[in-house]
Amino acid sequence: MLIKDGIGFHNVEELVWEEKAGGWAMSRVPAAVRAALNEPARAHRSINPCGCELRFNLHSEEAVIVLRRDDAANAAPQAVAEVFFGAFQGPYGQTPAIVGTEPTEITVRKRHIQHWPVYPQEMPVLLTRNW
């Protein structure tokens, strides 16, 4: 699992800085493999984060995650991110989160799970559909 700034990127081989987009793209294949792919696979499929997870431990009362999707012509206008507390899906006020081409903030709060008998340490955010 790739780790950057305390966040685990599951199912991501490397992060690629996209100057035009002004942010990081999650690549599922190494740069050498991506360079050898055909154009559609290199430009779209290899950096499609559908099925990837952002994993982190919540040490404070809340964390804010900012996501946005690419505005590729062949992609749906919105994508879906699912917030989990360990193996349990988060409350419906928080998940699923609809993510468009503008930055979308997702706030993960500890208070949603403080009353649980087992406190999950890991907070995965799954990038599920239409990325």
Side-chain angles (χ1 to χ4, degrees):
M1 177 174 2
L2 174 70
I3 298 176
K4 178 175 176 36
D5 298 332
I7 300 172
F9 291 85
H10 175 73
N11 208 12
V12 175
E13 181 65 29
E14 65 182 6
L15 297 174
V16 179
W17 179 255
E18 295 285 339
E19 191 66 40
K20 180 181 171 189
W24 295 99
M26 291 176 261
S27 177
R28 299 178 77 151
V29 298
V33 173
R34 197 171 53 254
L37 295 173
N38 64 39
E39 177 57 27
R42 180 174 55 252
H44 304 291
R45 301 313 310 160
S46 67
I47 57 170
N48 183 320
C50 187
C52 295
E53 299 177 19
L54 286 65
R55 297 179 179 179
F56 59 95
N57 292 327
L58 189 59
H59 297 292
S60 62
E61 290 303 310
E62 68 179 34
V64 178
I65 301 156
V66 180
L67 298 172
R68 71 176 180 78
R69 57 157 290 117
D70 189 13
D71 61 353
N74 63 343
Q78 297 175 327
V80 178
E82 303 275 355
V83 177
F84 281 75
F85 296 90
F88 303 98
Q89 185 174 1
Y92 285 117
Q94 190 167 47
T95 186
I98 304 302
V99 179
T101 57
E102 294 299 316
T104 301
E105 288 189 359
I106 301 170
T107 303
V108 180
R109 292 185 175 88
K110 191 179 280 189
R111 69 179 166 86
H112 288 136
I113 56 172
Q114 286 178 329
H115 62 281
W116 292 7
V118 176
Y119 180 77
Q121 293 297 313
E122 193 170 73
M123 307 291 159
V125 175
L126 282 67
L127 308 180
T128 55
R129 295 183 295 281
N130 299 331
W131 289 91

